[in-house]
Amino acid sequence: ELEDDLQLAAAMAVFTRMRMVDAEGRAELGYTGSPQNAPPGWRPWFESSAVRRQGYALVFGHWALLGYHRDHDIACVDSGCVYGGSLTALRLRDGTVIREQVVDAVVAPD
């Protein structure tokens, strides 16, 4: 069971840290910048995703420097809320995008 837990932990580390891949498709886990500033030969992981090639749409987050990004079958909903940006939600049923700005203070209910 520990082996299964370690495999799950390793998969989660890749899923939350992978943003770019190299020319052979190997994950570059240390990169956190935007695709425009990536080293030559690196590309966003989703451009060559096997899931996308099978015809599925991708909805993901955890890449604040990519920001909200929408293509016909790709949606990154990370708009940097933790850094002062907005919180973005995508309603899958109809594609509606909802954004809420960060508030500076939390108000306790009465």
Side-chain angles (χ1 to χ4, degrees), residues 20-28 40-43 45 48 53:
M20 304 296 285
V21 294
D22 66 14
E24 285 78 40
R26 290 184 299 254
E28 297 291 345
W42 290 12
R43 64 187 185 285
W45 67 269
S48 59
R53 287 193 308 269

Side-chain angles (χ1 to χ4, degrees), residues 1 5 9-10 28 41 50-51 53 62 77 79-81 90 94 97 103 107:
E1 186 172 320
D5 289 344
E28 297 291 345
V51 172
R53 287 193 308 269
H62 216 276
V77 295
S79 48
C81 183
L90 173 63
D94 62 8
V97 175
V103 294
V107 178

Side-chain angles (χ1 to χ4, degrees), residues 38-73:
W42 290 12
R43 64 187 185 285
W45 67 269
F46 54 81
E47 285 185 359
S48 59
S49 167
V51 172
R52 187 177 180 200
R53 287 193 308 269
Q54 293 174 22
Y56 294 98
L58 299 173
V59 179
F60 62 95
H62 216 276
W63 194 354
L65 289 178
L66 177 60
Y68 175 74
H69 174 80
R70 188 93 182 257
D71 200 352
H72 75 283
D73 62 349

